[in-house]
Amino acid sequence: MGFFSGLLDWLDERFPIKAFYKKHFSEYYVPKNLNAMYVFGVLAMLLLFNQLITGIWLAMSYTPTAAGAFASIQYIMRDVPYGWLIRYMHTTGASALFIVLYIHVLRGLLYGSYQRPRELVWLLGMTLYFIIMIEAFMGYLLPWGQMSYWGAQVITSLFGSIPVIGKGLEQWVRGDYLVSGVTLGRFYALHIIAFPILMGLLVYLHLSTLRHVGSNNPQGIDIKKHVNKKGVPLDGVPFSPYFITKDILAIAIFLFLFYAVIFFFPDGFGFILEKANFEPANPLITPVHIEAAWYFSPFYAMLRAITFSLFGLDAKFLGMVVMLSSVLIVFFVPWLDKSPVRSIRYKGYLSKCFLCVFVVSFLVLAVMGSLPVGKTTTWVSQLATLGYFSYFLLMPWYSRVEATKPVPERVSP
Amino acid sequence: MEEKINKSRRRFLIGSTTALGVVGGVGATVPFLCSWQPSDATRASGAPVQVDVSKLEEGQQVTIAWQGKPVWVLRRTAQTINDLPKLNAQLVDPFSSVDQQPAYADNLYRSIKPEYLVLVGICTHLGCSPNYQPNSAADDNAQWYGGYICPCHGSRFDLAGRVYKHYPAPTNLVVPPYYFKSDRVIVIGIGQNAKGEV
């Protein structure tokens, strides 16, 4: 017996590595018909890891004070060896993570990955997404540029719109009469310690619940129904090596694109690093054209779209409620979808139409949120907000009444 | 001796321990939550500030920081003051019925002296600082005699800080407490009472 196999046995007696590897890799069976839409989960993991490592390195040279923050970013960009690369990996990584997550969620909506028995995987994933949004928002303040500052000012003002307790809550969140160095200090602590720990926990829960119920597939067929004598699904192949190989290919292609952006378009034409953020924060002057980071743009457009009061609640509070509900409503999809089939392939005409309406509305809102506010952008945003919500709110109706196609028993080759 | 489980005693012990545990747990979070309140140093930055208005030209505005917030002092022209009542129909709250100003500034001009307007330069929608646009004709308003336009969500205010209808900001801009120390100097952060005394 060689030294390493001996060491492995010694470890295995004390901590069951071999059983773990079998359960989660070599004998974890994944549907054989997974397509390219199924690589975005592992890409999201890769990007979270990228954010963690580059974030630790950035924290080594960053100063979390109102006086020092902006200058320390310049120091990282100009003086720290490879500081520019590490920072661009972090900023581009944040944008890439949202692209990947939006496709990952769309995959879930397309193939009904949220349906029984995967409701908990969906809920934990959405919670993770919500926390990543807050994490990104807090990280955005740290460069202490004009866009950082006024973005934080707008979002913390949302607390102020809550009736009765709002004003006090707003001051409590900021620790000052308006966003200041005090706010920067607490956002920094939450951004680098509290939320990463929370995200790590949620990634663990998201993955372990997924491993327990197994992956869905583009046809939405339950592969556990047809097993051989050993209990191995006939339409499944082991995760290791088949899906690991596939994931590695996806990662290679992704990294090619990722570094192309980092090396040639690090500011993403003003979408990854906004122009106004090259100016230090000034609490007395708001830049003329302010917009949310592109990945919040659809939600920001919905906030702006509410320009009317209703039921005695003012537009400001309603805007916040609409924006918050637009994220929260996605949590409820497993219970809004009454369809007997999972995948869009077997759903009816209405489901397909509404999914298109949803995707188009989301993209239109993203564009509207990045344009200066005006009469046209306002009514287009209002229309798109209706489209966005109709997908969810009408789902119990259209998923029930439409005719579905029969789902095959076995996965097609 | 026969073993007998006293269930009601168990329930009482579990219940009382849990209750005390919860009280202790909640108590332990108090310092952490209160730690987020503005500190004394932050509160001290809310001390009053003085502005010399003698050098202001007609139509000129200065921005100063009070509590870290932008505060505008505008010297209005006679034309501006005459135009204010013409806008009433287009405004959400032309007569300042919502309490966004001290009693001594609760008038048509929203100021102590009609000539000088003092406002907290923070949009009542989501806290951006609107831009002073004294002349430029606004694109989609029939009547525009100058005012403030918020770059974030497009809310519009007239030159008394009153909000236009059909924009997201719900209320007029805030008038901070202030008084005239002399004809030349305004103190922002301390108000005068109704009789005009400091």
Side-chain angles (χ1 to χ4, degrees), chain A residues 139-331:
Chain A
Y140 201 75
L141 180 65
L142 305 187
W144 205 244
Q146 273 289 63
M147 205 58 97
S148 302
Y149 183 87
W150 290 100
Q153 181 80 359
V154 167
I155 301 301
T156 51
S157 289
L158 289 175
F159 289 101
S161 71
I162 301 169
V164 190
I165 55 163
K167 281 290 153 202
L169 195 62
E170 181 185 303
Q171 222 170 72
W172 180 77
V173 169
R174 290 175 180 165
D176 203 334
Y177 301 107
L178 76 179
V179 173
S180 73
V182 180
T183 324
L184 178 63
R186 64 183 55 169
F187 276 28
Y188 179 63
L190 294 173
H191 182 78
I192 70 162
I193 304 169
F195 279 78
I197 291 174
L198 207 55
M199 279 151 61
L201 176 71
L202 277 160
V203 167
Y204 170 77
L205 290 173
H206 186 58
L207 285 180
S208 32
T209 46
L210 171 71
R211 289 291 157 131
H212 185 68
V213 294
S215 282
N216 185 32
N217 56 74
Q219 289 177 291
I221 295 167
D222 187 0
I223 61 163
K224 286 176 184 167
K225 272 190 190 164
H226 296 277
V227 292
N228 67 13
K229 282 172 193 158
K230 288 179 188 163
V232 174
L234 292 170
D235 288 330
V237 274
F239 181 73
S240 173
Y242 297 103
F243 284 93
I244 288 185
T245 324
K246 171 173 148 289
D247 285 348
I248 288 172
L249 176 69
I251 288 170
I253 295 170
F254 170 78
L255 287 180
F256 193 78
L257 296 171
F258 185 58
Y259 280 96
V261 173
I262 288 174
F263 292 141
F264 300 109
F265 322 99
D267 67 349
F269 306 106
F271 280 103
I272 298 176
L273 299 172
E274 281 145 324
K275 289 182 179 69
N277 233 18
F278 289 89
E279 239 179 285
N282 181 350
L284 300 186
I285 300 165
T286 308
V288 176
H289 180 43
I290 186 168
E291 59 191 28
W294 73 263
Y295 39 80
F296 294 143
S297 194
F299 306 105
Y300 183 69
M302 286 192 238
L303 173 76
R304 283 205 308 202
I306 309 301
T307 53
F308 44 84
S309 301
L310 216 63
F311 313 122
L313 297 166
D314 60 37
K316 178 179 167 181
F317 181 64
L318 284 176
M320 187 196 73
V321 170
V322 166
M323 187 172 80
L324 198 63
S325 339
S326 68
V327 182
L328 293 184
I329 200 166
V330 190
F331 281 77

Side-chain angles (χ1 to χ4, degrees), chain A residues 94-140:
Chain A
S95 278
L97 179 59
F98 278 96
I99 296 176
V100 163
L101 286 179
Y102 287 138
I103 304 175
H104 189 62
V105 173
L106 177 65
R107 194 279 325 272
L109 293 174
L110 269 176
Y111 302 137
S113 306
Y114 47 81
Q115 279 192 19
R116 187 184 152 84
R118 298 184 184 84
E119 299 98 324
L120 205 52
V121 184
W122 181 261
L123 287 181
L124 289 164
M126 278 307 298
T127 311
L128 185 54
Y129 167 67
F130 194 58
I131 284 173
I132 290 174
M133 283 177 100
I134 303 171
E135 172 78 355
F137 160 67
M138 289 190 300
Y140 201 75

Side-chain angles (χ1 to χ4, degrees), chain B residues 90-152:
Chain B
Q90 296 186 57
L91 304 173
V92 172
D93 182 15
F95 305 109
S96 301
S97 51
V98 179
D99 196 18
Q100 291 283 83
Q101 60 280 316
Y104 46 82
D106 190 359
N107 51 46
L108 175 61
Y109 312 103
R110 305 192 73 224
S111 60
I112 298 173
K113 296 182 181 179
E115 198 177 356
Y116 294 105
L117 173 70
V118 182
L119 288 175
V120 173
I122 290 185
C123 183
T124 50
H125 180 223
L126 291 173
C128 291
S129 188
N131 295 312
Y132 175 45
Q133 304 208 344
N135 312 310
S136 59
D139 48 357
D140 51 2
N141 256 305
Q143 280 180 300
W144 180 257
Y145 299 110
Y148 303 95
I149 299 181
C150 185
C152 293

